[in-house]
Amino acid sequence: MDNELKVEGNENVSFQDISNSNITVIINKSADYKRLLDELSSLEEHLTDLNPEKADKINQLKNRIINKNAEIERFEQDVISLAEAFSKININTSRLIKAKEYFNEGKFKEANTILKLTEIDKDQNLLLTAKSKKEIELEGLSKQLIDNSNEYYIKAKALIINSYLSNSFGEIFNLFKRSIKSH
């Protein structure tokens, strides 16, 4: 499969729309990932140094190694998931642009930090308020269009009454069309 990422000591991970080499490079740039690998290496090294007669200690250490491998795998999955998210969204804000730059540099904590929740909340409140105002404005315009439509409709009906005296069916037809257009 073209979209598999082989990570040493772990199962293959599949993902779409993301280059294997890009993910590998990004993960390997991460200080957190390097720390996790160092911790795993240290645990494995400590395991080889243990006296084989200390079965309890060996089992505890093996469990810690299994847990560390699982933590590394979760980290890799999370990086892949974030890469997929970046590939699927439009990156149109300065915060997202900077977060993506940090992500590409393997600086995941910085990518998270740049997306300040207070600033995002503030922008959301401003945008929702502006949207609400526009919806109210649009609702007012819709009501005005209905009123305009009613005026055309009444004008056409009134003209029908007057059409007995003149031949104005074309004009009546146009008034009904305009009424429908506004409605």
Side-chain angles (χ1 to χ4, degrees):
M1 209 177 205
D2 286 344
N3 60 349
E4 282 191 349
L5 170 66
K6 281 204 181 239
V7 180
E8 186 177 317
N10 292 300
E11 296 179 28
N12 292 337
V13 180
S14 295
F15 55 93
Q16 296 178 347
D17 301 325
I18 300 175
S19 162
N20 294 348
S21 59
N22 285 346
I23 293 297
T24 302
V25 168
I26 290 170
I27 288 176
N28 287 326
K29 287 180 182 179
S30 168
D32 293 325
Y33 187 69
K34 289 175 186 170
R35 180 188 48 81
L36 289 171
L37 292 178
D38 288 345
E39 289 171 3
L40 177 63
S41 177
S42 175
L43 289 171
E44 290 171 340
E45 197 174 294
H46 189 61
L47 180 63
T48 60
D49 292 342
L50 277 178
N51 183 345
E53 296 172 5
K54 296 186 177 188
D56 286 345
K57 290 269 187 196
I58 290 172
N59 286 334
Q60 287 176 351
L61 201 50
K62 283 182 178 180
N63 282 335
R64 288 177 60 196
I65 290 171
I66 289 170
N67 290 337
K68 188 57 67 179
N69 275 320
E71 186 179 352
I72 290 169
E73 188 172 328
R74 277 191 314 272
F75 182 89
E76 293 163 350
Q77 292 287 343
D78 291 343
V79 171
I80 291 168
S81 177
L82 185 54
E84 287 175 339
F86 272 124
S87 74
K88 291 178 182 176
I89 65 167
N90 293 325
I91 300 174
N92 297 325
T93 68
S94 59
R95 286 189 299 257
L96 282 176
I97 291 168
K98 193 65 177 166
K100 177 99 168 74
E101 287 173 12
Y102 282 136
F103 173 79
N104 288 339
E105 295 169 6
K107 297 177 180 178
F108 307 127
K109 288 179 183 174
E110 290 85 347
N112 179 46
T113 302
I114 196 72
L115 297 168
K116 292 181 173 77
L117 199 52
T118 55
E119 292 176 6
I120 297 170
D121 286 343
K122 180 182 170 188
D123 287 352
Q124 181 186 50
N125 289 333
L126 291 171
L127 291 167
L128 288 173
T129 299
K131 180 182 177 189
S132 178
K133 287 178 182 176
K134 293 292 182 186
E135 287 172 346
I136 291 168
E137 184 180 332
L138 185 59
E139 187 178 307
L141 289 172
S142 294
K143 287 178 184 177
Q144 289 176 351
L145 278 169
I146 297 292
D147 292 342
N148 182 258
S149 171
N150 290 336
E151 288 174 347
Y152 278 120
Y153 179 74
I154 296 301
K155 174 72 174 168
K157 288 289 198 178
L159 196 55
I160 289 173
I161 294 171
N162 292 331
S163 70
Y164 293 111
L165 305 173
S166 67
N167 191 6
S168 52
F169 290 110
E171 187 178 350
I172 293 169
F173 178 76
N174 279 333
L175 290 171
F176 280 125
K177 274 180 43 179
R178 291 163 137 171
S179 175
I180 290 169
K181 185 177 179 180
S182 288
H183 200 274

